[in-house]
C-alpha cells in the first residue's frame, strides 16, 4: 500500500490506499469519477460510453430485439481460460446468439468489494474489453457500486446484452419435433471442472482450461437459407447439458435420446469428474452449442460447424424421439439406458 | 424452519429449509426453476418473461434507444418509503426518462445471499413488480444467482432499462447556456437521510421517508413543443444535488448559481443532517428532477411541473451564469457565497 494523499512527516501512516478499491469509490464523487476513468474507460473506451450519460443512446432498426441479462458471481474470478470479465461477455453474447439474435450492445454493472486490489480489477476489465472487442460489440454504459469488506467476494458483475433478431434464424425451445437431430459443437464439462480445480487448488495430471468462448461466429454460420432447419439451440451452461436438454424436451413435448459414445469429454475432465464424483452431463459449459436440426439438413449444419475452430469437434450426439416425451434418456457405451433428469440442486455452486 | 424433504422418524432434524434461500436455488436445476416460479413469476408475470428464454424478444421502432444499467446495493434493503425492489425500478426508469427517453423494458439480475428469508424476498419482488406496473413497464427477462452466507448482504439487484428516444425532448448535459434557469422539482435529501436513519436506528422527531418515486409522469409533461426549451435534466441521486450540478456545469462550461433560499429541505431532514454533520446538498435524492430551461419558457415549465403531485413543490432554484465557469456557487440565505465542489469520497455509502 502507498499513500495517495500527501502525508506529512508527522503522519508516517498512509491515510488511504491508492492501489485498492475503497468505499469512497462508490460515492458518486471525485473518487468515483477517477475510478471510472482510470480503471474502466482506459480499457472499454468508445464514443458512446465516453459520453458518460446516465444512459447510452444508440441506434436500432425497426424490428425485434433480444434482451438478455446475466449476473456473474464465479469464484475464483480468475481461472485457467478466462476471468469473470470475459466470462460475463461470452455468457451474455451467447444467450443472445443462441436465440438467433446478432448481439449489438452490452452494459456492465459492477459490485466491487472494498479492498479489491486494482491490479486484479484491471486484469478483469481488460479481459472484458478484449472479449467485447473480439465480438465487435461495445460496452455502451455501466455502473459501479462498492460494498464493505466481506459484503461481496472480490467482485460481481452483471452484463445485459441487446441484439437484433435475424428473421432467417429463429430457434425456439418448443419447436423440436421427433426425428430432429441433436448436434453438439464440442467437448463437455470443461468450464465447470476448470473452476472447480482452480477453486479447490486441485492438481490434475493436465491443467483443465475453461471453454469460455464467444459462440457468435459459430451461430453466424447457421444464418440465411439453412437457418430455417435449426429448430432449437442452447448453450448448456449452469446445470450442464442435462438441464439444457431437459428444458427443450419439456418445452417441445418430445423425448431426447443422447448417445454417450458421441459425447466428447477430454480425459483430464473425465478423470477430475470421476475423482470428485461428478456427472459431466451436469457440469457447466461456456463455449458449447447444442442444436436440434431438421434431419434433412443435419449433415450440412454439421459441416458448417466443423469449418470453424470452435466447432471442429462438432458431432451428432442424439435425436428427438416420439418415445418417452419430456424425458432425456442416455444410451450408454455399454448399451444400457438411463434417464437423465434435472438435478434438484447444485453439483457446483458459483460456476458462473 | 420446516423440512421440505420428507424426513423419516429416524431423522428429526430438517434436512433443508423451505423458507429461506439455499445455495441449490442458484444451480440451474429444479430448485432454480421452483424459485423462479414461486418467488419471481408470481409477482412479475407477463408473457415475455413467462416464455423463460435465455433472452427476451420484444419489438422496437426504428430510431434511437436509450440503455441504462444500475446495480443496487442499498442497506437496509427495506426502508421507510420503499425497498431495494422499487428503488431499482425507479432508479433505472428515472435515468432513462431524464435522458428524454420513454422507458419500455426492464431486466432484473438478482444476487441472493444464502439464508435470505423468503418473506423478505417476496416483499422486495412484490414491491419491484408494483413499481414496474405503475410505470407501465414490464420486467421482460431476469437472472438469479445465489452466493454463500456472508458473500452478499441479503440481496443485490441490477436493473437495466431500455427506452425509446423522443425527438421532442433531448436534454444534454453540455447544452446549458448562461441565462438558463434551474428548476428543482421537490424537497432535497430525503432518500439519503431515510436510509441513514433506518440503518443506524436513529429516532428523529418525525420519521423520514425516502422520496423514491418514478419521475416518468413528470418528464412526460415536458414533451412536445415545450421540450426544446429543456436544455439539461438530471436526477440528483448518489452525490446529491451538488454532484449533479457540478457535472452539468463542467459538461456545459457554465457557472451555476444556486439560491439556498429557494431550496426546500424538510425540517426533520434538515435536523437529521445537522445532527450528523451532513450537507444536504450532497445527500442522495431518488424522486427529484433538476432541469435547466431556456429563460423564456421557465414559467411555463414550472407551471407544468407544479400541476403534478410529484412537482407540487417545484421552484426556480438558480441559473446558469457566465461567471465562474465550471463552478457551482451557493448564494446563502445570509447573503454570503460559497463554492459547492464535488466531494472526493462519500458522505454516505450504500445509499442506492
Amino acid at each position: 500500500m502507498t499513500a495517495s494523499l500527501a502525508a506529512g512527516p508527522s503522519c508516517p501512516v498512509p491515510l488511504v490506499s491508492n492501489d485498492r478499491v475503497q468505499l469512497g469509490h462508490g460515492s458518486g464523487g471525485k473518487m468515483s469519477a477517477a475510478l471510472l476513468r482510470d480503471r474502466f474507460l482506459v480499457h472499454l473506451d468508445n464514443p458512446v460510453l465516453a459520453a458518460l450519460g446516465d444512459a447510452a443512446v444508440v441506434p436500432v432498426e425497426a424490428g425485434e430485439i433480444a434482451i438478455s441479462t446475466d449476473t456473474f458471481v464465479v469464484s475464483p474470478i480468475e481461472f485457467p481460460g478466462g476471468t469473470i470479465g470475459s466470462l460475463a461477455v461470452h455468457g451474455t453474447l451467447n444467450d443472445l446468439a443462441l436465440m438467433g439474435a446478432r448481439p449489438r450492445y452490452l452494459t456492465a454493472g459492477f459490485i466491487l468489494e472494498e479492498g479489491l486490489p486494482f491490479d486484479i480489477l484491471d486484469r478483469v476489465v481488460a479481459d472484458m474489453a478484449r472479449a467485447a472487442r473480439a465480438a465487435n460489440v461495445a460496452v455502451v454504459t455501466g455502473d459501479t457500486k462498492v460494498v464493505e469488506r466481506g459484503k461481496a467476494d472480490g467482485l460481481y458483475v452483471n452484463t445485459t446484452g441487446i441484439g437484433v433478431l435475424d428473421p432467417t434464424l429463429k430457434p425456439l425451445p418448443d419447436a423440436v419435433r421427433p426425428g430432429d437431430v441433436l448436434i453438439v459443437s464440442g467437448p463437455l464439462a470443461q468450464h465447470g471442472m476448470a473452476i472447480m480445480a482452480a477453486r479447490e487448488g486441485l492438481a490434475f495430471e493436465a491443467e483443465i482450461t475453461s471453454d469460455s468462448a464467444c459462440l457468435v461466429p459459430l451461430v453466424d454460420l447457421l444464418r440465411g437459407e439453412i437457418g430455417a432447419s435449426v429448430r432449437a439451440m442452447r448453450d448448456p451452461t449452469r446445470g450442464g447439458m442435462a438441464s439444457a436438454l431437459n428444458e427443450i424436451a419439456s418445452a417441445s413435448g418430445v423425448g431426447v435420446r443422447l448417445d454417450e459414445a458421441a459425447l466428447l469429454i477430454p480425459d483430464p475432465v473425465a478423470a477430475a469428474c470421476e475423482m470428485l464424483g461428478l456427472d459431466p452431463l451436469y457440469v457447466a459449459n461456456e463455449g458449447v452449442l447444442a442444436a436440434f436440426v431438421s434431419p434433412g439438413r443435419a449433415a450440412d449444419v454439421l459441416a458448417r460447424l466443423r469449418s470453424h475452430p470452435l466447432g471442429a469437434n462438432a458431432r451428432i450426439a442424439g435425436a428427438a424421439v416420439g418415445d418417452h416425451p419430456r424425458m432425456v434418456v442416455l444410451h450408454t457405451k455399454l448399451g444400457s439406458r438411463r434417464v437423465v433428469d434435472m438435478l434438484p440442486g447444485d453439483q457446483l455452486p458459483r460456476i458462473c
Side-chain angles (χ1 to χ4, degrees), chain A residues 65-234:
Chain A
I65 57 174
I67 310 172
S68 184
T69 194
D70 293 278
T71 300
F72 293 83
V73 298
V74 63
S75 170
I77 58 183
E78 299 182 283
F79 48 83
T83 72
I84 193 172
S86 51
L87 184 67
V89 169
H90 295 156
T92 292
L93 295 184
N94 290 352
D95 278 348
L96 293 174
L98 294 226
M99 294 284 289
R102 295 178 192 271
R104 289 282 293 275
Y105 307 113
L106 274 174
T107 69
F110 284 85
I111 299 174
L112 308 178
E113 183 183 3
E114 179 189 17
L116 176 71
F118 278 156
D119 59 346
I120 296 179
L121 179 60
D122 286 344
R123 289 198 297 269
V124 165
V125 179
D127 192 43
M128 166 176 268
R130 261 193 304 275
R133 248 191 324 269
N136 202 23
V137 173
V139 175
V140 292
T141 190
D143 182 48
T144 306
K145 294 287 156 61
V146 180
V147 296
E148 300 90 339
R149 260 172 228 274
K151 298 294 185 187
D153 196 7
L155 73 87
Y156 303 137
V157 62
N158 173 282
T159 42
T160 299
I162 294 165
V164 177
L165 265 279
D166 170 2
T168 73
L169 181 64
K170 299 190 90 170
L172 288 168
D174 61 358
V176 179
R177 297 293 165 258
D180 288 350
V181 172
L182 170 62
I183 296 178
V184 173
S185 70
L188 297 184
Q190 295 181 107
H191 176 72
M193 295 319 295
I195 296 296
M196 198 64 185
R199 189 186 302 166
E200 307 295 341
L202 302 176
F204 298 111
E205 275 178 49
E207 185 181 69
I208 301 174
T209 300
S210 169
D211 63 342
S212 177
C214 176
L215 292 168
V216 173
L218 212 53
V219 171
D220 284 346
L221 298 172
L222 305 180
R223 300 189 187 281
E225 176 267 335
I226 201 170
S229 64
V230 179
R231 302 277 169 77
M233 283 199 293
R234 271 289 161 95

Side-chain angles (χ1 to χ4, degrees), chain A residues 239-273:
Chain A
M241 185 61 78
S243 301
L245 295 180
N246 268 286
E247 280 166 24
I248 290 175
S250 177
S252 290
V254 297
V256 172
R257 189 194 75 231
L258 186 60
D259 298 324
E260 188 180 30
L263 298 174
L264 201 61
I265 297 165
D267 287 340
V269 173
C273 283

Side-chain angles (χ1 to χ4, degrees), chain A residues 1-22:
Chain A
M1 286 202 204
T2 56
S4 71
L5 293 183
S10 66
C11 177
V13 180
L15 292 175
V16 292
S17 152
N18 66 359
D19 60 0
R20 288 170 185 270
V21 172
Q22 300 163 55

